[in-house]
Amino acid sequence: LIQGTFESVGSTFKDIPKEYCPTIRRGSVAWAGSGPEFFISLANHNEWRNAYTVFGSVLSEDMQILEKITQLPTKSDVWNGINVAILEKPISLRFRRITP
């Protein structure tokens, strides 16, 4: 997983209502809780049925960017008893919503 936090500019972020998705697939973008934390799945997770709200997906041609992120230098930490790897230098991503 790649996990991050959305930061809104000029407005307060409010909790997002939960709308559980039946499956998490490679490239799914889902809320961790009710936001603003999110994660992007790098694999299918059938064991997480109806556990998270999926609100987007990464285009298949852009998955290579995520794979490159996983190769960046990390440091070890423990979050809630779970061993995690954290980027040594956090990166900032910008998302755009494209409307037809």
Side-chain angles (χ1 to χ4, degrees):
L1 297 175
I2 292 178
Q3 186 169 337
T5 302
F6 279 119
E7 292 183 14
S8 61
V9 177
S11 63
T12 304
F13 194 96
K14 298 186 190 248
D15 286 347
I16 303 295
K18 294 179 174 136
E19 298 177 17
Y20 298 121
C21 184
T23 186
I24 301 291
R25 300 188 194 284
R26 176 176 166 81
S28 292
V29 183
W31 294 119
S34 58
E37 290 79 23
F38 70 95
F39 67 85
I40 302 171
S41 180
L42 297 174
N44 293 335
H45 287 282
N46 295 324
E47 71 275 17
W48 293 346
R49 293 191 190 284
N50 297 312
Y52 296 98
T53 300
V54 174
F55 64 90
S57 60
V58 176
L59 298 173
S60 59
E61 60 267 23
D62 291 337
M63 286 302 293
Q64 64 183 331
I65 296 168
L66 297 178
E67 295 297 339
K68 287 181 181 180
I69 291 171
T70 66
Q71 300 304 311
L72 295 173
T74 61
K75 57 185 176 183
S76 297
D77 201 352
V78 178
W79 291 358
N80 297 324
I82 299 171
N83 294 325
V84 297
I86 301 171
L87 289 176
E88 287 181 2
K89 296 180 182 177
I91 58 173
S92 178
L93 300 174
R94 290 186 181 219
F95 295 89
R96 266 194 308 180
R97 181 179 187 166
I98 300 173
T99 55

